[in-house]
Amino acid sequence: MSLLYFVPLQVACVMTIWSQLQPAYAANMWNEALNKRLGTKGLDLSQVLVEVEKRGSSFEQLLTIPEQDDWVYSDGKSTSCIAFILEMYKAAGLFNPIASSVQVTEFTIKDAYILNFFENNSSRLPNWCNDGDTVKLPYCQIKGKYRMELPGYNSMEPYPHMNERCPSLPTKYYRPENC
Ligand SMILES: *[C@@H]1O[C@H](CO)[C@@H](O)[C@H](O)[C@H]1NC(C)=O
Ligand SMILES: *[C@@H]1O[C@H](CO)[C@@H](O)[C@H](O)[C@H]1NC(C)=O
């Protein structure tokens, strides 16, 4: 799980409360991920906070350490739905030759669809593509009442350590170049 989805300041607070209410679930949700980042095992949240302090680092910095695709958790490998798709792309070689420098567990859905992996010649899209629509999109929308907009679709060449330094702060989630 990419911990960059969390906004650090409020996070420690929410995590602390959650750890009290649902200790087993908290361990599964983030304690293991925090331990992976520290290179420790089995520390609970308060012990993690103490350890971070001891190392002269901060909880905020800990959260920014990128998830590694090859980390295996106590219940097996862990991905979000989009990271699962990208793991397949990675295994299939789409990120070559920089695959070893890309951690797809750090990618969001938008990060995935802006990759330049997709058909760029609309005359090669299947006939049924956008069948029910008056507008021809550069991609196939299979279902849904509303037209999907995918800004930046199919436009970005992957680069080493892509998406490992993106601040992505609300409300605009502005993405600096090469982050
Ligand atoms: C379309 O994709 C092909 C194959 O990936 C690539 O060689 C070509 O340069 C692309 N064309 C444009 C206009 O991006
Ligand atoms: C798009 O694909 C069609 C059909 O394969 C082909 O005839 C056409 O030259 C392609 N256009 C570009 C810009 O590559």
mmCIF file of all heavy atoms in Angstrom, residues 7 14 17-18 26 38 43 50 54 66 82 94 96 100 103 107 131 134 138-140 147 160-161 163 168 173:
data_model
loop_
_atom_site.group_PDB
_atom_site.id
_atom_site.type_symbol
_atom_site.label_atom_id
_atom_site.label_comp_id
_atom_site.label_asym_id
_atom_site.label_seq_id
_atom_site.Cartn_x
_atom_site.Cartn_y
_atom_site.Cartn_z
ATOM 1 N N VAL A 7 -2.374 11.945 4.309
ATOM 2 C CA VAL A 7 -1.848 13.286 4.576
ATOM 3 C C VAL A 7 -1.203 13.226 5.968
ATOM 4 O O VAL A 7 -1.895 13.019 6.962
ATOM 5 C CB VAL A 7 -2.970 14.338 4.559
ATOM 6 C CG1 VAL A 7 -2.412 15.723 4.808
ATOM 7 C CG2 VAL A 7 -3.720 14.284 3.237
ATOM 8 N N VAL A 14 -5.065 9.975 13.510
ATOM 9 C CA VAL A 14 -6.089 8.993 13.116
ATOM 10 C C VAL A 14 -5.597 7.575 13.372
ATOM 11 O O VAL A 14 -6.315 6.732 13.903
ATOM 12 C CB VAL A 14 -6.463 9.162 11.628
ATOM 13 C CG1 VAL A 14 -7.369 8.038 11.162
ATOM 14 C CG2 VAL A 14 -7.122 10.507 11.398
ATOM 15 N N ILE A 17 -5.753 6.637 17.100
ATOM 16 C CA ILE A 17 -7.115 6.330 17.560
ATOM 17 C C ILE A 17 -7.546 4.968 17.036
ATOM 18 O O ILE A 17 -8.045 4.129 17.771
ATOM 19 C CB ILE A 17 -8.098 7.433 17.093
ATOM 20 C CG1 ILE A 17 -7.724 8.762 17.750
ATOM 21 C CG2 ILE A 17 -9.535 7.054 17.407
ATOM 22 C CD1 ILE A 17 -8.407 9.965 17.170
ATOM 23 N N TRP A 18 -7.295 4.748 15.756
ATOM 24 C CA TRP A 18 -7.690 3.494 15.129
ATOM 25 C C TRP A 18 -7.012 2.299 15.806
ATOM 26 O O TRP A 18 -7.617 1.254 16.029
ATOM 27 C CB TRP A 18 -7.357 3.524 13.639
ATOM 28 C CG TRP A 18 -8.019 2.439 12.879
ATOM 29 C CD1 TRP A 18 -7.638 1.122 12.800
ATOM 30 C CD2 TRP A 18 -9.215 2.544 12.103
ATOM 31 N NE1 TRP A 18 -8.512 0.423 12.024
ATOM 32 C CE2 TRP A 18 -9.502 1.260 11.575
ATOM 33 C CE3 TRP A 18 -10.082 3.599 11.792
ATOM 34 C CZ2 TRP A 18 -10.593 1.007 10.765
ATOM 35 C CZ3 TRP A 18 -11.162 3.338 10.979
ATOM 36 C CH2 TRP A 18 -11.417 2.066 10.474
ATOM 37 N N ALA A 26 -5.597 -2.406 12.483
ATOM 38 C CA ALA A 26 -4.536 -1.399 12.331
ATOM 39 C C ALA A 26 -3.233 -2.064 11.920
ATOM 40 O O ALA A 26 -2.526 -1.578 11.042
ATOM 41 C CB ALA A 26 -4.358 -0.629 13.633
ATOM 42 N N LEU A 38 10.821 0.973 7.999
ATOM 43 C CA LEU A 38 11.872 1.126 9.011
ATOM 44 C C LEU A 38 12.858 -0.036 8.981
ATOM 45 O O LEU A 38 13.925 0.033 9.579
ATOM 46 C CB LEU A 38 11.237 1.189 10.405
ATOM 47 C CG LEU A 38 10.665 2.530 10.853
ATOM 48 C CD1 LEU A 38 9.876 2.339 12.138
ATOM 49 C CD2 LEU A 38 11.775 3.548 11.066
ATOM 50 N N LEU A 43 6.694 -3.875 15.362
ATOM 51 C CA LEU A 43 6.492 -2.690 16.206
ATOM 52 C C LEU A 43 5.056 -2.198 16.042
ATOM 53 O O LEU A 43 4.524 -2.193 14.932
ATOM 54 C CB LEU A 43 7.450 -1.559 15.815
ATOM 55 C CG LEU A 43 8.948 -1.827 15.887
ATOM 56 C CD1 LEU A 43 9.724 -0.544 15.623
ATOM 57 C CD2 LEU A 43 9.341 -2.421 17.230
ATOM 58 N N VAL A 50 8.366 6.112 18.351
ATOM 59 C CA VAL A 50 9.578 6.217 19.176
ATOM 60 C C VAL A 50 10.819 5.920 18.340
ATOM 61 O O VAL A 50 11.819 6.648 18.389
ATOM 62 C CB VAL A 50 9.492 5.253 20.396
ATOM 63 C CG1 VAL A 50 10.830 5.154 21.105
ATOM 64 C CG2 VAL A 50 8.391 5.694 21.354
ATOM 65 N N LYS A 54 14.039 8.256 17.478
ATOM 66 C CA LYS A 54 15.380 7.788 17.840
ATOM 67 C C LYS A 54 16.347 7.949 16.679
ATOM 68 O O LYS A 54 17.525 8.230 16.864
ATOM 69 C CB LYS A 54 15.299 6.300 18.222
ATOM 70 C CG LYS A 54 15.736 6.009 19.667
ATOM 71 C CD LYS A 54 15.936 4.518 19.856
ATOM 72 C CE LYS A 54 14.767 3.905 20.615
ATOM 73 N NZ LYS A 54 14.820 2.415 20.654
ATOM 74 N N PRO A 66 9.078 5.231 -0.495
ATOM 75 C CA PRO A 66 8.235 4.517 -1.457
ATOM 76 C C PRO A 66 8.031 3.053 -1.085
ATOM 77 O O PRO A 66 8.951 2.399 -0.593
ATOM 78 C CB PRO A 66 9.019 4.613 -2.773
ATOM 79 C CG PRO A 66 10.045 5.667 -2.565
ATOM 80 C CD PRO A 66 10.320 5.728 -1.097
ATOM 81 N N ILE A 82 -5.312 -0.931 -9.014
ATOM 82 C CA ILE A 82 -4.550 -0.430 -10.159
ATOM 83 C C ILE A 82 -3.106 -0.940 -10.120
ATOM 84 O O ILE A 82 -2.521 -1.240 -11.156
ATOM 85 C CB ILE A 82 -4.609 1.116 -10.258
ATOM 86 C CG1 ILE A 82 -4.059 1.591 -11.602
ATOM 87 C CG2 ILE A 82 -3.874 1.803 -9.116
ATOM 88 C CD1 ILE A 82 -4.821 1.066 -12.798
ATOM 89 N N LEU A 94 6.405 -4.106 -20.068
ATOM 90 C CA LEU A 94 6.069 -2.788 -20.601
ATOM 91 C C LEU A 94 6.934 -1.672 -20.022
ATOM 92 O O LEU A 94 7.059 -0.611 -20.624
ATOM 93 C CB LEU A 94 4.583 -2.469 -20.364
ATOM 94 C CG LEU A 94 3.643 -2.874 -21.499
ATOM 95 C CD1 LEU A 94 3.487 -4.384 -21.563
ATOM 96 C CD2 LEU A 94 2.287 -2.213 -21.348
ATOM 97 N N ASN A 96 10.139 -2.071 -19.368
ATOM 98 C CA ASN A 96 11.537 -2.286 -19.723
ATOM 99 C C ASN A 96 12.039 -1.116 -20.563
ATOM 100 O O ASN A 96 11.264 -0.552 -21.327
ATOM 101 C CB ASN A 96 11.684 -3.600 -20.508
ATOM 102 C CG ASN A 96 11.499 -4.806 -19.604
ATOM 103 O OD1 ASN A 96 11.456 -4.668 -18.378
ATOM 104 N ND2 ASN A 96 11.393 -5.980 -20.197
ATOM 105 N N SER A 100 13.144 -2.173 -13.157
ATOM 106 C CA SER A 100 13.635 -2.357 -11.792
ATOM 107 C C SER A 100 13.668 -1.030 -11.030
ATOM 108 O O SER A 100 13.813 -1.013 -9.810
ATOM 109 C CB SER A 100 15.025 -2.994 -11.804
ATOM 110 O OG SER A 100 15.921 -2.147 -12.474
ATOM 111 N N GLN A 103 8.331 1.460 -9.094
ATOM 112 C CA GLN A 103 7.531 0.775 -8.075
ATOM 113 C C GLN A 103 6.067 1.087 -8.356
ATOM 114 O O GLN A 103 5.579 2.163 -8.015
ATOM 115 C CB GLN A 103 7.929 1.253 -6.671
ATOM 116 C CG GLN A 103 9.402 1.064 -6.342
ATOM 117 C CD GLN A 103 9.847 -0.382 -6.422
ATOM 118 O OE1 GLN A 103 9.085 -1.314 -6.191
ATOM 119 N NE2 GLN A 103 11.112 -0.588 -6.783
ATOM 120 N N PHE A 107 1.664 4.001 -7.828
ATOM 121 C CA PHE A 107 0.867 4.629 -8.890
ATOM 122 C C PHE A 107 -0.611 4.732 -8.502
ATOM 123 O O PHE A 107 -1.173 3.820 -7.920
ATOM 124 C CB PHE A 107 0.961 3.813 -10.186
ATOM 125 C CG PHE A 107 2.239 3.996 -10.956
ATOM 126 C CD1 PHE A 107 3.473 3.827 -10.350
ATOM 127 C CD2 PHE A 107 2.208 4.325 -12.302
ATOM 128 C CE1 PHE A 107 4.664 3.990 -11.065
ATOM 129 C CE2 PHE A 107 3.382 4.481 -13.025
ATOM 130 C CZ PHE A 107 4.608 4.312 -12.416
ATOM 131 N N ASP A 131 -19.530 2.926 -29.062
ATOM 132 C CA ASP A 131 -20.694 2.665 -29.910
ATOM 133 C C ASP A 131 -21.893 3.554 -29.578
ATOM 134 O O ASP A 131 -22.542 4.093 -30.457
ATOM 135 C CB ASP A 131 -21.122 1.199 -29.742
ATOM 136 C CG ASP A 131 -21.096 0.488 -31.074
ATOM 137 O OD1 ASP A 131 -20.780 1.159 -32.074
ATOM 138 O OD2 ASP A 131 -21.376 -0.723 -31.095
ATOM 139 N N THR A 134 -21.929 9.871 -29.364
ATOM 140 C CA THR A 134 -21.790 10.672 -30.577
ATOM 141 C C THR A 134 -20.370 11.204 -30.723
ATOM 142 O O THR A 134 -19.975 11.663 -31.793
ATOM 143 C CB THR A 134 -22.752 11.879 -30.521
ATOM 144 O OG1 THR A 134 -22.581 12.514 -29.258
ATOM 145 C CG2 THR A 134 -24.188 11.434 -30.676
ATOM 146 N N PRO A 138 -10.491 8.911 -27.631
ATOM 147 C CA PRO A 138 -9.296 8.170 -28.061
ATOM 148 C C PRO A 138 -9.164 6.808 -27.357
ATOM 149 O O PRO A 138 -8.198 6.092 -27.580
ATOM 150 C CB PRO A 138 -8.143 9.098 -27.665
ATOM 151 C CG PRO A 138 -8.691 10.015 -26.651
ATOM 152 C CD PRO A 138 -10.177 10.096 -26.846
ATOM 153 N N TYR A 139 -10.120 6.493 -26.492
ATOM 154 C CA TYR A 139 -10.121 5.201 -25.796
ATOM 155 C C TYR A 139 -11.537 4.644 -25.835
ATOM 156 O O TYR A 139 -12.479 5.348 -26.202
ATOM 157 C CB TYR A 139 -9.656 5.361 -24.341
ATOM 158 C CG TYR A 139 -10.179 6.610 -23.678
ATOM 159 C CD1 TYR A 139 -11.443 6.650 -23.102
ATOM 160 C CD2 TYR A 139 -9.414 7.787 -23.675
ATOM 161 C CE1 TYR A 139 -11.932 7.806 -22.525
ATOM 162 C CE2 TYR A 139 -9.911 8.950 -23.104
ATOM 163 C CZ TYR A 139 -11.161 8.951 -22.531
ATOM 164 O OH TYR A 139 -11.652 10.095 -21.977
ATOM 165 N N CYS A 140 -11.680 3.379 -25.453
ATOM 166 C CA CYS A 140 -12.990 2.745 -25.492
ATOM 167 C C CYS A 140 -13.672 2.876 -24.142
ATOM 168 O O CYS A 140 -13.150 2.397 -23.141
ATOM 169 C CB CYS A 140 -12.859 1.254 -25.802
ATOM 170 S SG CYS A 140 -12.174 0.933 -27.408
ATOM 171 N N ARG A 147 -19.879 10.217 -19.902
ATOM 172 C CA ARG A 147 -18.619 10.089 -20.615
ATOM 173 C C ARG A 147 -17.449 10.279 -19.639
ATOM 174 O O ARG A 147 -17.424 11.219 -18.867
ATOM 175 C CB ARG A 147 -18.564 11.152 -21.708
ATOM 176 C CG ARG A 147 -17.492 10.928 -22.741
ATOM 177 C CD ARG A 147 -17.599 11.974 -23.849
ATOM 178 N NE ARG A 147 -18.856 11.862 -24.589
ATOM 179 C CZ ARG A 147 -19.616 12.915 -24.941
ATOM 180 N NH1 ARG A 147 -19.266 14.137 -24.616
ATOM 181 N NH2 ARG A 147 -20.733 12.717 -25.608
ATOM 182 N N PRO A 160 12.527 6.416 -14.548
ATOM 183 C CA PRO A 160 12.926 5.783 -13.278
ATOM 184 C C PRO A 160 12.369 6.558 -12.079
ATOM 185 O O PRO A 160 12.366 7.780 -12.075
ATOM 186 C CB PRO A 160 14.453 5.840 -13.312
ATOM 187 C CG PRO A 160 14.793 5.910 -14.771
ATOM 188 C CD PRO A 160 13.690 6.696 -15.404
ATOM 189 N N HIS A 161 11.911 5.838 -11.090
ATOM 190 C CA HIS A 161 11.363 6.393 -9.843
ATOM 191 C C HIS A 161 10.151 7.296 -10.074
ATOM 192 O O HIS A 161 9.877 8.207 -9.292
ATOM 193 C CB HIS A 161 12.458 7.113 -9.051
ATOM 194 C CG HIS A 161 13.615 6.207 -8.760
ATOM 195 N ND1 HIS A 161 13.504 5.161 -7.879
ATOM 196 C CD2 HIS A 161 14.860 6.139 -9.284
ATOM 197 C CE1 HIS A 161 14.650 4.500 -7.856
ATOM 198 N NE2 HIS A 161 15.482 5.074 -8.706
ATOM 199 N N ASN A 163 6.668 8.798 -9.924
ATOM 200 C CA ASN A 163 5.626 8.899 -8.881
ATOM 201 C C ASN A 163 6.107 8.601 -7.462
ATOM 202 O O ASN A 163 5.301 8.315 -6.585
ATOM 203 C CB ASN A 163 4.435 7.984 -9.204
ATOM 204 C CG ASN A 163 3.781 8.356 -10.507
ATOM 205 O OD1 ASN A 163 3.683 9.534 -10.839
ATOM 206 N ND2 ASN A 163 3.349 7.368 -11.266
ATOM 207 N N SER A 168 1.232 15.690 -4.462
ATOM 208 C CA SER A 168 -0.206 15.428 -4.687
ATOM 209 C C SER A 168 -1.094 15.910 -3.547
ATOM 210 O O SER A 168 -1.833 15.147 -2.941
ATOM 211 C CB SER A 168 -0.465 13.941 -4.940
ATOM 212 O OG SER A 168 -0.105 13.153 -3.848
ATOM 213 N N TYR A 173 -4.389 18.595 -6.385
ATOM 214 C CA TYR A 173 -3.570 17.409 -6.656
ATOM 215 C C TYR A 173 -2.607 17.662 -7.807
ATOM 216 O O TYR A 173 -2.372 16.804 -8.651
ATOM 217 C CB TYR A 173 -4.452 16.188 -6.923
ATOM 218 C CG TYR A 173 -5.353 15.891 -5.756
ATOM 219 C CD1 TYR A 173 -6.674 16.324 -5.732
ATOM 220 C CD2 TYR A 173 -4.859 15.203 -4.649
ATOM 221 C CE1 TYR A 173 -7.484 16.075 -4.632
ATOM 222 C CE2 TYR A 173 -5.670 14.950 -3.552
ATOM 223 C CZ TYR A 173 -6.981 15.391 -3.553
ATOM 224 O OH TYR A 173 -7.779 15.138 -2.481
#
